[in-house]
Amino acid sequence: MSKAFIAAVIQDSIDCTGVAANQAASDLMEAIIKELKREGGFTLPSFGTFTVKKTKARKALNPRTGEPVKVKAGKTVRFKASPNLKKAV
């Protein structure tokens, strides 16, 4: 799914211009990112839960050379689908 797809769905749903639909899609993405940063996660009922998880520093291998590489600690976003979504798919 892309931002353009979301904008097209919004445009068809509320019968607005492409510019307005694109702005609404951008605003939606920004709101999701802000909520993840502020709260560390959020739930869309009947869809699923997004959570921010911390990752530890670790050693990995460079696939091209096979050399060990240090990977810094960071954060990643995890998604857990709701039972309703699992049934629908």
Side-chain angles (χ1 to χ4, degrees):
M1 184 183 303
S2 65
K3 182 178 157 187
F5 175 77
I6 294 170
V9 169
I10 292 170
Q11 185 177 6
D12 292 342
S13 177
I14 62 173
D15 196 29
C16 65
T17 65
V19 173
N22 194 28
Q23 183 62 45
S26 294
D27 291 344
L28 175 66
M29 299 291 189
E30 288 176 22
I32 290 171
I33 292 168
K34 284 181 184 177
E35 188 68 15
L36 285 170
K37 284 182 178 180
R38 187 178 58 206
E39 297 293 327
F42 70 96
T43 299
L44 290 173
S46 299
F47 189 71
T49 303
F50 294 87
T51 55
V52 176
K53 296 286 184 180
K54 292 181 181 179
T55 59
K56 295 179 181 180
R58 65 186 192 281
K59 291 183 182 179
L61 292 177
N62 181 334
R64 185 172 290 182
T65 63
E67 293 181 27
V69 178
K70 291 182 181 178
V71 178
K72 295 180 181 179
K75 296 179 183 177
T76 188
V77 178
R78 304 285 172 110
F79 175 73
K80 182 177 179 186
S82 73
N84 292 342
L85 179 61
K86 289 179 182 180
K87 281 183 185 178
V89 177

